[in-house]
Amino acid sequence: MRNIISLKENWKFFKEELSNPTVIAAGGESVTLPHTWNAVDGQDGGNDYYRGTCWYQTEFPKPKLEAGGEAFLEITGAAMTAEVYVNGKKLCRHEGGYSAFRVNVTEALQDENVLAVSVDNSANTRVYPQQADFTFYGGLYRGVNLITVPAAHFALEYCGTPGIRVTPKLSENLKAAEVELTAWAECAEGKKVVFSIEGAGEAEGLVSGGSVSVCIPIEQVRLWDGIADPYLYTATAVLEGDADQVSTRFGCRRFEMDAEKGFLLNGREYPLRGVSRHQDRKGAGNALTPEMHREDLAIIREMGANTIRLAHYQHAQEFYDLCDEQGMIVWAEIPYITQHMPEARANTLSQMEELVVQNYNHPCIVCWGLSNEITAAPAGDMDDLLENHRLLNDLCHSLDRTRPTTMANVFMLEPDSPILEIPDINSYNLYFGWYLGNLEQNDSFFDEYHEKYPDRVIGFSEYGADANPAFQSSHPEQGDYTETYQCVYHEHLLKMIEERPYLWATHVWNMFDFAADGRDEGGKHGENQKGLVTFDRKLKKDAFYLYKAYWSKEPFVHVCGGRYADRAEDVTEVKVYSNQPCITLFVDGKKMEEKEGSRVFIFRVPITGEHEITAYAGTGMGEKPAQTVPVPEEQRMSGVSGTEMLGSTIIVRKVDTPNPNYVFGTSGSVTNWFDRDLIDPGYFSIMDKISDLQQHPVAGQIIGRMMAQGAASRGDVAESVKDNPQLQRMLGRMTLQSILKQAGDVISPEQVKEMNAALQKIKK
């Protein structure tokens, strides 16, 4: 039978070329897998993390093999390109940092063996990803195994295959299933394979042309029914004489995407509302442990999400397994992202083939993502880009006839672009209300799209706003990086989504803050802070509880603003998120107000000194709660549960002047450029729309100079605007003020004041 030996311990890591991979080199750093060399420099900002070739080396004794038996090395994640040497002999090269691959090492084995693996994450034009808003960690960041099998065995080398494929087909009434099972085997023709499904039965077939297929019926099938009942069957294939055996879990479910009803699971409407996830963590990079994977999914489930977009590449098998077990619906994709590279076509196809082959049996996966924002950077040869997508689309359908293909399109991609006609369904990444525009443009985008293309299935694949929990405001504004504005942003988006059930899936960008070493903004170096939870998973931002109020059935109460303790206003806003229908607010132990509502409850509280503000779920309370619910300090940000009531507490203090620590370094100048009351509405100002300013000959010249200055600093953005009529129209609807807020690093506050003063001299 096959034997799997983990090669986790006793590795040596070299951040330089090995002169001789045949012997264990002197020096190096002792490491245990999983490992990445960018866990620190890939997260500290500066866009200067090490991208190059590093080496890993270990020793292992020759495993015991049966007569004719073989040994395979399995590497489950080596980013981005790996070459494998055993006893100095180069055995393979693998391009693609997120999928597993195997290599037959039988002929290279000696009594004692030296394994050396070079791993390279340097910039090139052949292997994706190369341009994207996340860190491209290098390393052997998942496990390495030595697998031994008898002479007759199930296939191992083809695209990291699990050796068995399961395709359930449900009856029309969803009561029964016909399950097709296929296995690939390295053995003599005519050898018997016995298939079985636990609790259902078995069937046998004979190997022909390297494969064998059978069907097994399940008379009273138990459905894999999302988070309500994610039931899993186990299928097993055994080669005659117990030579080799493989098993896999699978689920029986039916799903479809409808242009009006959205997503349907097992015949009923099942709105997909969830998040995107990157596979990294503060201090660990992408070298995640099983415990980290479990914690990530536990946090996502706590919030009530039922779908995850696993971006922007193939994730670890452990996480797909967890999603199977807990009923999460998954969007799986390859890292074909941002910029089309003609030399990398073969790499997109190989990464897609590995993604589908390795993950075909997971019932959680419902679609294959072809690319993400691939038109964001100038493509050069658009025909080549389109052909690349057609080939990917055809490949997916040839490998899997059960799942549709999809794409995540950048916001400035015109809906009539021919690329949207290639995949079966589509989604858009929109950031109106954060990077540009206003929140209402998210609404109008989908309304206009759905009206023009009523038969197209459309989803919302990314939306979000950066928030540093250190930054708070009583008057949050777009671009201020406050936790407060993130709440305002998501309150609008959640309402917008709920009013548009035709969206087949929506995914918040992002569940967790993640590393983007090229970023240096919002008070953090090397982080994208759009997460609802911090990079280290220790702090759930207030917006997390907004989603919990919409999606979770677990009763809870959360008072926002716990990190906004020092408040200069005389009357402060206290916002409460809850999935309960009534909230009663107590201030310093005395009942202040009782409100009925849904999800978001807003109170106006006068403050004079230090106050303890507690929100309870429930009605008819007296001046003091019938039961005191203790709120330990460590739980004040997350809400607590009592035996009879739910409560959450924050502490606020009245101060004379605003706490400067609550304001992002440049935010004060960005958000307070001028006094609105001093603007004469009869003259132009930065409060006017770009389109109106551009139509005036003098005001248009001022705007032109400003745009030129921005283009000199952000040529990529300027190029996108110049070549995209839809984006030009979107920008035209924006006020000059809103654009300037997003250009705080390009246009100084003094320049803004000068510009406004010049515009105020031009009569409308």
Side-chain angles (χ1 to χ4, degrees):
M1 301 293 286
R2 74 173 54 193
N3 186 33
I4 301 176
I5 304 165
S6 173
L7 301 181
K8 178 181 178 180
E9 310 287 343
N10 303 316
W11 286 84
K12 298 182 75 176
F13 168 69
F14 301 85
K15 205 172 181 178
E16 67 271 348
E17 180 76 23
L18 284 181
S19 58
N20 185 357
T22 304
V23 298
I24 290 291
E29 174 188 355
S30 296
V31 299
T32 299
L33 302 187
H35 178 266
T36 174
W37 62 76
N38 297 126
V40 176
D41 68 355
Q43 302 181 350
D44 61 3
N47 202 29
D48 56 355
Y49 64 102
Y50 180 74
R51 295 184 64 184
T53 301
C54 296
W55 286 76
Y56 293 85
Q57 214 176 41
T58 191
E59 295 177 286
F60 64 92
K62 184 176 183 179
K64 184 178 180 180
L65 296 175
E66 299 178 12
E70 294 182 296
F72 293 81
L73 192 70
E74 177 182 61
I75 296 179
T76 59
M80 297 293 172
T81 299
E83 294 184 346
V84 178
Y85 297 78
V86 174
N87 300 319
K89 182 179 180 181
K90 179 180 173 180
L91 299 182
C92 79
R93 175 183 174 88
H94 181 263
E95 295 185 338
Y98 305 101
S99 53
F101 66 97
R102 303 190 186 105
V103 56
N104 192 323
V105 298
T106 310
E107 297 300 319
L109 291 177
Q110 302 173 3
D111 290 341
E112 294 294 330
N113 300 278
V114 176
L115 168 62
V117 183
S118 69
V119 186
D120 180 9
N121 69 337
S122 59
N124 63 78
T125 58
R126 302 178 317 280
V127 182
Y128 283 99
Q130 291 299 327
Q131 184 176 339
D133 184 29
F134 59 93
T135 294
F136 308 145
Y137 297 101
L140 281 180
Y141 68 98
R142 295 181 188 150
V144 174
N145 300 305
L146 184 64
I147 302 174
T148 61
V149 292
H153 58 267
F154 291 105
L156 284 156
E157 287 184 275
Y158 168 59
C159 288
T161 173
I164 182 173
R165 184 181 69 190
V166 183
T167 309
K169 183 178 181 181
L170 287 164
S171 63
E172 193 64 31
N173 63 4
L174 304 179
K175 299 295 185 182
E178 189 77 10
V179 182
E180 180 186 23
L181 300 104
T182 299
W184 295 268
E186 301 286 341
C187 64
E189 289 284 290
K191 198 168 184 65
K192 184 170 69 177
V193 175
V194 177
F195 294 90
S196 62
I197 297 175
E198 187 178 13
E202 66 178 42
E204 61 184 49
L206 303 180
V207 174
S208 176
S211 68
V212 54
S213 296
V214 301
C215 285
I216 297 178
I218 303 178
E219 298 299 336
Q220 296 295 323
V221 69
R222 183 172 172 181
L223 299 176
W224 188 90
D225 203 28
I227 57 177
D229 185 17
Y231 186 77
L232 295 170
Y233 289 91
T234 298
T236 301
V238 180
L239 266 172
E240 184 179 9
D242 291 334
D244 192 19
Q245 175 178 311
V246 288
S247 295
T248 188
R249 296 185 303 178
F250 70 96
C252 296
R253 80 280 188 268
R254 177 183 297 161
F255 66 87
E256 59 182 303
M257 293 78 162
D258 184 87
E260 281 298 331
K261 298 178 180 178
F263 187 82
L264 293 90
L265 178 65
N266 298 326
R268 72 185 188 281
E269 293 181 27
Y270 190 83
L272 293 185
R273 303 295 177 254
V275 298
S276 297
R277 179 218 188 214
H278 266 297
Q279 59 170 27
D280 72 338
R281 185 177 289 222
K282 186 75 171 177
N286 60 351
L288 303 182
T289 64
E291 292 75 22
M292 291 174 179
H293 288 300
R294 285 195 291 271
E295 183 183 23
D296 277 7
L297 190 53
I299 295 171
I300 294 170
R301 290 288 293 113
E302 178 194 343
M303 197 175 73
N306 63 6
T307 179
I308 309 175
R309 181 182 172 206
L310 293 180
H312 287 298
Y313 37 70
Q314 183 171 329
H315 285 228
Q317 284 299 313
E318 292 93 330
F319 201 80
Y320 293 115
D321 289 341
L322 288 170
C323 290
D324 286 342
E325 294 166 6
Q326 299 197 31
M328 302 300 293
I329 301 290
V330 167
W331 166 330
E333 64 188 50
I334 60 171
Y336 186 22
I337 181 170
T338 308
Q339 183 177 29
H340 172 67
M341 300 187 299
E343 295 178 48
R345 175 186 288 186
N347 185 248
T348 67
L349 296 169
S350 65
Q351 291 204 51
M352 181 62 79
E353 188 171 17
E354 290 173 332
L355 175 71
V356 176
V357 169
Q358 292 174 24
N359 296 285
Y360 182 93
N361 296 330
H362 289 291
C364 64
I365 297 175
V366 299
C367 62
W368 305 116
L370 304 182
S371 64
N372 177 77
E373 297 190 350
I374 197 62
T375 57
D381 188 348
M382 189 65 180
D383 290 338
D384 190 72
L385 183 150
L386 293 172
E387 179 64 14
N388 203 147
H389 280 78
R390 292 188 188 100
L391 291 171
L392 282 170
N393 193 60
D394 292 344
L395 175 64
C396 287
H397 291 313
S398 69
L399 294 169
D400 183 1
R401 63 182 184 273
T402 71
R403 295 178 177 95
T405 56
T406 190
M407 284 177 58
N409 297 299
V410 68
F411 71 94
M412 61 268 212
L413 180 68
E414 290 278 13
D416 60 0
S417 169
I419 198 170
L420 274 81
E421 299 174 1
I422 295 174
D424 300 306
I425 58 177
N426 273 284
S427 283
Y428 260 89
N429 300 347
L430 303 181
Y431 288 96
F432 298 119
W434 181 245
Y435 287 126
L436 79 169
N438 55 60
L439 288 166
E440 290 73 20
Q441 284 178 266
N442 295 287
D443 310 44
S444 59
F445 178 92
F446 283 116
D447 289 343
E448 292 169 11
Y449 185 99
H450 190 54
E451 181 179 3
K452 187 173 182 179
Y453 303 103
D455 298 325
R456 281 188 184 178
V457 175
I458 189 65
F460 201 1
S461 40
E462 285 185 28
Y463 63 97
D466 289 81
N468 185 331
F471 302 143
Q472 306 289 330
S473 176
S474 60
H475 296 86
E477 291 188 318
Q478 177 179 345
D480 65 8
Y481 290 93
T482 62
E483 185 178 18
T484 332
Y485 180 75
Q486 188 184 47
C487 289
V488 172
Y489 175 93
H490 284 289
E491 285 170 16
H492 181 95
L493 269 295
L494 267 169
K495 186 174 183 295
M496 185 278 289
I497 288 168
E498 193 170 56
E499 293 170 351
R500 290 159 179 81
Y502 60 81
L503 295 171
W504 79 267
T506 65
H507 296 96
V508 179
W509 191 262
N510 198 284
M511 185 66 214
F512 307 102
D513 292 345
F514 60 91
D517 198 53
R519 284 183 173 247
D520 189 359
E521 56 189 61
K524 292 283 185 72
H525 304 298
E527 284 189 32
N528 185 310
Q529 297 183 81
K530 292 184 184 66
L532 303 176
V533 178
T534 54
F535 199 8
D536 58 10
R537 279 52 169 180
K538 292 181 179 179
L539 188 150
K540 296 163 185 170
K541 302 177 189 179
D542 283 337
F544 171 94
Y545 296 96
L546 173 67
Y547 280 89
K548 188 171 181 178
Y550 267 79
W551 295 344
S552 176
K553 295 180 180 178
E554 175 193 357
F556 85 101
V557 175
H558 174 78
V559 182
C560 300
R563 285 167 281 278
Y564 181 31
D566 296 335
R567 307 192 180 198
E569 57 267 24
D570 295 326
V571 178
T572 193
E573 178 181 282
V574 174
K575 187 179 292 183
V576 179
Y577 293 149
S578 179
N579 52 13
Q580 300 303 293
C582 184
I583 296 297
T584 303
L585 198 73
F586 284 78
V587 179
D588 299 329
K590 294 183 178 181
K591 180 178 177 180
M592 192 198 99
E593 190 175 358
E594 183 178 293
K595 279 193 175 184
E596 293 184 355
S598 176
R599 296 153 178 167
V600 181
F601 302 80
I602 296 176
F603 301 87
R604 301 287 294 171
V605 179
I607 55 174
T608 55
E610 181 169 296
H611 303 280
E612 182 179 84
I613 300 175
T614 303
Y616 292 103
T619 62
M621 297 181 189
E623 285 302 305
K624 291 185 179 180
Q627 173 191 355
T628 301
V629 179
V631 187
E633 180 68 28
E634 66 272 16
Q635 293 185 356
R636 281 180 175 164
M637 302 308 158
S638 60
V640 296
S641 298
T643 56
E644 295 182 12
M645 60 174 58
L646 302 168
S648 174
T649 296
I650 65 170
I651 303 295
V652 302
R653 293 180 293 271
K654 178 70 169 69
V655 294
D656 294 332
T657 57
N659 187 335
N661 293 325
Y662 292 162
V663 181
F664 175 45
T666 60
S667 180
S669 59
V670 171
T671 58
N672 299 300
W673 291 319
F674 60 91
D675 188 337
R676 182 188 299 262
D677 295 334
L678 298 180
I679 287 182
D680 187 336
Y683 292 78
F684 285 108
S685 74
I686 64 174
M687 300 297 292
D688 287 301
K689 292 181 180 179
I690 291 291
S691 58
D692 293 338
L693 291 165
Q694 288 176 326
Q695 289 174 12
H696 189 279
V698 180
Q701 289 181 4
I702 295 174
I703 299 304
R705 289 195 295 269
M706 186 270 296
M707 292 291 193
Q709 181 178 347
S713 175
R714 296 293 301 277
D716 55 338
V717 176
E719 192 71 24
S720 298
V721 174
K722 183 185 71 173
D723 296 334
N724 196 289
Q726 184 189 21
L727 183 53
Q728 291 173 13
R729 290 194 297 272
M730 292 175 181
L731 291 173
R733 299 181 193 134
M734 297 170 61
T735 65
L736 179 55
Q737 176 202 17
S738 62
I739 289 182
L740 291 169
K741 285 181 180 179
Q742 297 298 321
D745 58 340
V746 177
I747 310 294
S748 70
E750 291 73 22
Q751 289 172 308
V752 172
K753 292 176 182 177
E754 292 174 5
M755 191 181 309
N756 191 62
L759 291 171
Q760 279 280 276
K761 296 176 182 177
I762 305 171
K763 193 171 184 177
K764 291 184 178 179

